[in-house]
Structure formats: C-alpha cells, structure tokens
C-alpha cells in the first residue's frame, strides 16, 4: 500500500501558499532594489560628501590623463592628415604631368604611323631632293631625341607616382590609427566626466554647496602654511582678477616678484616670461574645457601653450612633451614664467607666477585661476626661456 501512496503536494502548489511565496519574492526583490541599488548605479553606493570629493578628484585627474593622451593623439592625427593631404596633392600634380607626357608621345607615334615608317635608306633613294631629305632627317633625329627624353620622363613619373601612392597608403593607415586612438581617449574622458557628474548629482543641495565651496577654496593641509596670497589664490577667478593678484607683488602685464627667482635672469627671458604671464592673467575666469586651446576656453596644457605663444615661443601640445621643452629647474629655483608639472604621470601643468602660486586651468567646473602649487603633487618644472 505504501508504494501506491500519492506524494504530498508541494506547499507552493496551494493557492494561498503560492500567493505568499510570490509576495515574499517580491518583497525580497524590492529590498534588493532599494538596499542594494549601488550594484545597478555606476556611481556606486551612497558616499559621504568627503568621499564624493575624493572620488570626484580622482576621476577628474584620470580624465586629465586621458585628455593629455587625447591631445597627443590629436596632434599626431593632425600631422598625419597634413602629410597625407600633401602627398595626395603631389600625386595629383604628377598624374597631370604623366598624362601630358603620354599625350605628347601619342602625338609623335601617330605622326610616325602617318609617315608610313619607311626605311631611311629607301626614303633617301626615292627622294627627288636629297639635301631636303637630309635636313628633314636631322630634324627627325632631334625629334627622336626629344621623344626618348619624353619617354624617360614618363617612366620617371610612373615610378614617382607609384612611390607617392605607397607613401600615401602608409600615411592613411597611420591617420586611421591616430583617429581610432582619438576616439578611445575621447570615450575615456567622457566616461570619467559622466561618472563624476553622477556622483555629484547624488549630493543634496546643501552638500553640493559645501562641495563647491571647498573646490573654490581648495584649502589643503600643505597649502595652509603658505602666504595670505597663496591662501587667497584659490578663491573665485573673478576675485583673483579684480584683486590685482594680491600677494604676488605685481599687476597685469608685469613679472611678479619671487623670493626664489634667480637674480641673474636675462632681460629677454624676463620679457618673454612677462608676456606669457600677462596673457595668462587675461584668461582668468575662462572655463576649463578638455582639449581646448582658446581663446574662449582651455585645458591645462592648452593654456600654457597659448600663453607662451603670445610671448613668441612655440610649445608642444601636451604636458608630457612640454616638460621637455626647456631646461629643467628644481622647485627651489622656480621663477615667474616657469612651467610647473604635477602628478607622477605629468598630467597637469600650470604657469608659475611667484610666491608659491601659479595660474592654471584646473578641471571642468573650475575656471582658469590662481592657486598654490602645493594643492597637487609636484612633479617637476621647466624654464622655457
């Protein structure tokens, strides 16, 4: 009898039990949705304002690293595009010359065909005026020489054109590679910035206000011991501009005094540095835009490049090439106009103005401003002129 006993129905098989199980699963899913939402949110679980600031700073720094790589890839892509266009133009000119030479050879061949191509000895025997024939034969010889020269030119143009086309193909391959790198670095920058925006969006209005105030002040333990001017260098850019850059001992268009500046600086170098600083001061308050080189917005290396261009000096585009654009100087040797670099990857640059301060384009949301050089990890300095 036991072998024919029907199995007991599962509790889930009963309507009431099935309903209870469904509600329990729904409740668990809801709890997971609200309590574990960090798994679905790319910005992660809720952070304190201090944690948000730390994470956003990290994201902006990583975005700046990608920005400088983007700038380098763009510089290489632009150079490859110019080279490719130049080769294409040269190939077009050579093709035109080749076609002209071919037409000339075709005309000569057609004339020979119409003349019947008789043997020269037979033509001399049949002519009624041997002197006239010999004169024409001499001209024909000259024409033959010209034809041979034209034929040589055609061969030369064909060989040159083939080489140009091969070089153009190589340049095009390089250009496409640089453009692919541009797209990758652009995607990285945009991803970092978007993640930072999502983090900031999770702050309350009060927390966001405190965060913005902290970013504007940029008070750090290492900067706290600097002069009043250094502490004031992190205020809003408009205040920087209207204050006449208090504490630097100089107004716009002049070279700020610096206790660390070498007394033996040459007049031309000081003049160029003053011109670069004057330009940089005029940009105070303009927004940071990654990849921008002015005149309405800048990234960090775009600002320093534009400032020194205004002084008649051509700098390369990226931080990691600008650091090699002059003579390296130690921190104790810093003088106004020197380029100051930050982070181990040389991903940020500013223009030193003296008194432990610099003008730089910090990051998105923070305009071109004066700030203490102690607010970031110092990596080195270069004297351009």
């Amino acid at each position: 009898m036991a072998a024919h006993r029907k199995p007991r129905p599962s509790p889930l098989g009963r309507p009431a039990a099935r309903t209870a199980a469904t509600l329990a699963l729904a409740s668990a899913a809801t709890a997971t949705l609200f309590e574990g939402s960090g798994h679905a949110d790319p910005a992660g679980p809720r952070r304190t304002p201090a944690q948000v600031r730390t994470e956003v700073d990290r994201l902006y720094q990583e975005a700046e690293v990608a920005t400088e790589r983007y700038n380098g890839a763009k510089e290489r892509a632009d150079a490859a595009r110019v080279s490719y266009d130049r080769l294409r133009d040269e190939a077009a000119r050579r093709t035109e010359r080749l076609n002209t030479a071919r037409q000339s050879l075709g005309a000569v061949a057609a004339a020979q065909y119409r003349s019947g191509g008789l043997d020269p000895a037979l033509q001399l025997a049949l002519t009624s005026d041997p002197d006239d024939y010999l004169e024409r034969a001499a001209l024909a010889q000259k024409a033959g020489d010209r034809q041979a020269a034209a034929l040589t030119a055609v061969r030369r143009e064909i060989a040159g054109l083939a080489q140009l086309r091969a070089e153009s193909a190589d340049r095009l391959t390089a250009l496409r590679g640089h453009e692919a790198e541009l797209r990758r670095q652009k995607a990285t920058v945009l991803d970092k910035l978007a993640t930072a925006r999502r983090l900031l969006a999770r702050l309350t209005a009060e927390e966001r206000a405190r965060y913005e105030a902290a970013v504007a002040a940029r008070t750090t333990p290492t900067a706290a011991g600097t002069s009043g001017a250094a502490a004031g260098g992190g205020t809003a850019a408009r205040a920087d501009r209207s204050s006449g850059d208090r504490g630097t001992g100089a107004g716009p268009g002049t070279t700020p005094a610096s206790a660390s500046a070498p007394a033996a600086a040459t007049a031309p170098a000081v003049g160029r540095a003053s011109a670069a600083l004057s330009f940089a001061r005029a940009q105070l308050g303009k927004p940071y835009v990654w990849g921008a080189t002015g005149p309405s917005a800048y990234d960090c290396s775009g600002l320093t490049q534009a400032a020194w261009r205004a002084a008649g000096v051509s700098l390369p585009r990226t931080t990691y090439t600008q650091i090699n654009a002059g003579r390296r100087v130690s921190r104790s040797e810093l003088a106004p106009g020197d380029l100051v670099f930050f982070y181990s990857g040389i991903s940020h640059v500013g223009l030193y103005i003296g008194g432990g301060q610099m003008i730089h384009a910090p990051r998105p949301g923070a305009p071109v401003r004066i700030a203490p050089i102690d607010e970031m990890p110092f990596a080195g300095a270069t004297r351009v002129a």
Side-chain angles (χ1 to χ4, degrees):
M1 294 294 291
H4 298 285
R5 185 178 299 167
K6 294 182 179 180
R8 296 178 63 185
S10 169
L12 293 179
R14 298 191 185 101
R18 191 162 53 240
T19 301
T22 302
L23 290 174
L25 289 171
S27 176
T30 302
T32 301
L33 176 63
F34 286 97
E35 294 174 11
S37 59
H39 295 291
D41 187 348
R46 182 170 178 79
R47 295 168 171 83
T48 66
Q51 290 173 326
V52 167
R53 178 179 174 179
T54 298
E55 181 67 7
V56 168
D57 283 350
R58 182 185 66 81
L59 288 166
Y60 279 146
Q61 201 272 320
E62 290 177 354
E64 192 161 49
V65 171
T67 296
E68 290 305 309
R69 290 175 179 164
Y70 171 89
N71 291 338
K74 187 175 186 304
E75 191 173 45
R76 291 188 294 272
D78 290 345
R81 187 175 293 107
V82 168
S83 179
Y84 175 64
D85 289 344
R86 178 184 58 78
L87 288 171
R88 282 202 312 172
D89 290 344
E90 178 62 21
R93 287 191 293 270
R94 290 211 173 198
T95 299
E96 185 176 357
R97 290 200 299 266
L98 176 59
N99 291 336
T100 299
R102 280 173 168 168
Q103 290 172 0
S104 177
L105 284 176
V108 171
Q112 288 180 345
Y113 176 79
R114 286 194 299 270
S115 69
L118 290 176
D119 180 85
L122 183 57
Q123 291 184 44
L124 179 59
L126 295 176
T127 184
S128 58
D129 188 347
D131 291 336
D132 178 64
Y133 170 78
L134 291 174
E135 183 178 350
R136 285 187 288 109
L139 294 174
Q141 179 63 41
K142 291 180 181 179
D145 292 341
R146 287 196 299 272
Q147 181 180 356
L151 186 58
T152 300
V154 166
R155 289 171 176 163
R156 185 169 54 249
E157 293 296 344
I158 289 174
L161 190 56
Q163 182 178 353
L164 279 173
R165 286 173 176 167
E167 290 180 17
S168 295
D170 290 342
R171 293 293 188 281
L172 183 58
T173 299
L175 175 57
R176 287 173 175 168
H178 296 320
E179 288 175 339
E181 176 67 10
L182 270 178
R183 290 190 292 271
R184 285 193 297 271
Q185 297 303 335
K186 180 178 181 179
T188 299
V189 172
L190 294 178
D191 177 67
K192 300 290 184 185
L193 297 181
T195 303
R197 283 194 297 270
R198 287 195 295 270
L199 276 171
L200 293 173
R202 292 160 64 90
L203 296 176
T204 65
E206 182 181 355
E207 290 170 342
R208 182 65 181 265
R210 288 201 301 269
Y211 168 82
E212 296 293 349
V215 169
R218 298 301 294 179
T219 54
T220 62
T222 55
T226 58
S227 66
T235 58
R238 185 167 55 254
D240 286 339
R241 187 160 41 194
S242 63
S243 68
D245 305 315
R246 288 187 297 270
T248 63
T254 62
T255 303
S258 170
S260 63
T266 62
V270 171
R272 287 192 293 271
S274 178
L277 289 170
S278 179
F279 178 92
R281 290 177 187 281
Q283 313 313 306
L284 290 172
K286 291 186 177 180
Y288 176 104
V289 174
W290 71 272
T293 57
S296 58
Y298 299 90
D299 64 16
C300 67
S301 56
L303 175 65
T304 51
Q305 183 187 50
W308 274 102
R309 184 189 300 119
V313 177
S314 177
L315 289 183
R317 178 65 181 92
T318 63
T319 53
Y320 47 83
T321 52
Q322 287 184 5
I323 197 171
N324 296 316
R327 179 173 66 86
R328 297 287 186 93
V329 294
S330 68
R331 183 165 177 160
S332 62
E333 296 175 306
L334 284 175
D338 289 346
L339 300 176
V340 282
F341 299 88
F342 303 91
Y343 299 105
S344 59
I346 318 297
S347 59
H348 190 76
V349 62
L351 194 66
Y352 189 68
I353 63 174
Q357 292 182 294
M358 65 178 170
I359 296 175
H360 72 143
R363 66 184 193 184
V368 176
R369 61 173 60 168
I370 293 176
I373 63 173
D374 285 332
E375 74 175 16
M376 290 176 287
F378 186 82
T382 293
R383 184 155 303 153
V384 177

